[in-house]
Amino acid sequence: MSAAEPADVLCLGESMVLVAAAGEGLRSAETAELHIAGAESNVAVGLTHLGRRAEWFSRVGADPFGSRILEALRLRGVETPRVVEDGTRQTGVYFKDVVDGRSDVLYYRARSAASAMSPADLAGLRLAERRVCHLSGITAALSESCNDLVDAVLSGRSGDVVTSFDVNFRPRLWASERAAPVLLEHARRADIVFVGRDEAAELWGTATADEVRELLPDVGALVVKDADVGATSFVGTERVHVPAPSVDVVEPIGAGDAFAAGYLDGRLGGADERTCLRRGHVMAAHALRHRGDTPDPGPAQRLRELAAIGEEEWNALRFAVQEETVRW
């Protein structure tokens, strides 16, 4: 494939630098670790690990943090040829404060470079030539222009591009009363929607996956995730539920993005719906048993093999932290 041809998947959204104190609270820590975090770039990393061509687009500051993000993503195989480095705004940063085993997050992203994204950025992204464009509700919350960008992608696309939208409601960014109607409208116009049962309940008052489907009856593929219970997808009149495997959870951050990457990998490969959900679960399980948003989940072929095991083996599957291999 020619390098001039755009990647099959385009992921749009903000990535930030995460500052995490080394094993203690920020108030007393003397050292810290820097990581890269961003829902949409996490999906891009997961897809490239599975052998797909994925591109990430955003705006970053023309600063060391922006350079760090770009270098880290390129090292993981994500393409970034169209990212804008903005000399007038900074790259977003956030801090993780862990005290007595509980984690709190402090965001410093107001007026970040990514918050200046707008529909004008779409001109050079060649959306019509993509197979999938993935974005999330986080972008819609960053600024009015960012919400306009999401709206433009979902309402004005051309060609055969499939739009993938992860609701990704973040209460720290906007109140549910304001977010609920905006995210519902975005979800109704997407081809593929990912939403947690709990966040749908908080936003829209739905109690079950089937109630979410009633609210979004025309979405081509609706995936409702229910934590360690499992995931249910609705494609047309088909309803498929796949229970989640047992996982020794270390940290939940990044698991939803990993799930989306696994599911989209299945869709890109023409897999049936049950296999798509299983690939999502396998990718999420590896994220859950590691710290950091994008751990290396091991060989892609092994991940796909796990997603294809028999029903009895699947129900007995367990991802244990203590072992390098998975028990099943």
Side-chain angles (χ1 to χ4, degrees):
M1 181 177 290
S2 168
E5 297 178 31
D8 284 342
V9 183
L10 176 66
C11 299
L12 301 175
E14 181 173 37
S15 287
M16 297 183 292
V17 167
L18 164 63
V19 182
E24 55 185 316
L26 293 170
R27 182 172 181 173
S28 57
E30 295 184 359
T31 59
E33 299 175 345
L34 299 184
H35 301 277
I36 306 305
E40 298 82 6
S41 60
N42 289 346
V43 173
V45 168
L47 284 167
T48 58
H49 183 86
L50 292 168
R52 306 292 176 184
R53 283 187 67 203
E55 178 181 337
W56 174 71
F57 174 79
S58 187
R59 288 174 170 264
V60 298
D63 52 38
F65 288 147
S67 298
R68 188 183 186 99
I69 289 170
L70 291 173
E71 181 178 357
L73 292 177
R74 289 165 183 161
L75 285 173
R76 297 296 293 270
V78 177
E79 299 174 31
T80 61
R82 283 165 263 265
V83 172
V84 176
E85 295 184 72
D86 189 334
T88 66
R89 291 172 177 253
Q90 79 282 354
T91 303
V93 180
Y94 75 105
F95 295 78
K96 183 182 292 185
D97 190 25
V98 181
V99 179
D100 297 329
R102 291 182 297 180
S103 180
D104 192 18
V105 174
L106 298 86
Y107 287 110
Y108 293 83
R109 72 196 310 176
R111 287 190 50 78
S112 69
S115 71
M117 287 190 293
S118 75
D121 288 313
L122 297 177
L125 296 184
R126 301 170 68 177
L127 277 181
E129 300 175 58
R130 314 286 184 164
R131 293 181 63 188
V132 175
C133 179
H134 178 78
L135 63 170
S136 87
I138 295 175
T139 302
L142 296 180
S143 67
E144 184 176 347
S145 67
C146 279
N147 186 53
D148 290 343
L149 170 70
V150 175
D151 183 71
V153 170
L154 295 175
S155 63
R157 64 188 186 273
S158 59
D160 296 325
V161 62
V162 170
T163 53
S164 168
F165 181 70
D166 191 333
V167 171
N168 252 335
F169 171 54
R170 294 292 186 269
R172 287 180 178 269
L173 294 178
W174 50 353
S176 59
E177 293 80 7
R178 177 167 164 255
V182 176
L183 293 175
L184 181 59
E185 182 63 23
H186 288 329
R188 282 176 169 164
R189 288 180 295 167
D191 297 311
I192 300 172
V193 172
F194 300 96
V195 64
R197 187 194 60 77
D198 55 346
E199 65 181 341
E202 183 173 357
L203 287 167
W204 308 317
T206 53
T208 66
D210 294 281
E211 289 183 13
V212 180
R213 183 53 165 176
E214 291 175 9
L215 198 62
L216 299 167
D218 299 321
V219 173
L222 170 65
V223 180
V224 182
K225 301 169 293 178
D226 194 1
D228 58 355
V229 175
T232 303
S233 73
F234 300 87
V235 178
T237 59
E238 180 185 25
R239 181 189 192 277
V240 179
H241 175 78
V242 173
S246 176
V247 183
D248 290 347
V249 178
V250 172
E251 188 174 79
I253 296 173
D257 305 325
F259 184 99
Y263 180 89
L264 291 174
D265 171 64
R267 295 281 298 211
L268 287 163
D272 62 81
E273 198 63 15
R274 186 169 301 277
T275 299
C276 292
L277 292 174
R278 281 190 174 194
R279 289 189 188 178
H281 278 314
V282 168
M283 290 290 285
H286 281 287
L288 287 167
R289 59 200 281 266
H290 292 87
R291 296 198 184 279
D293 285 17
T294 55
D296 184 344
Q301 183 57 35
R302 173 60 172 159
L303 299 174
R304 294 194 176 105
E305 289 172 357
L306 278 174
I309 60 179
E311 198 70 18
E312 185 175 345
E313 293 172 306
W314 178 264
N315 292 333
L317 188 60
R318 180 187 176 204
F319 291 80
V321 173
Q322 295 83 2
E323 302 176 17
E324 292 188 5
T325 56
V326 180
R327 287 208 299 268
W328 59 282

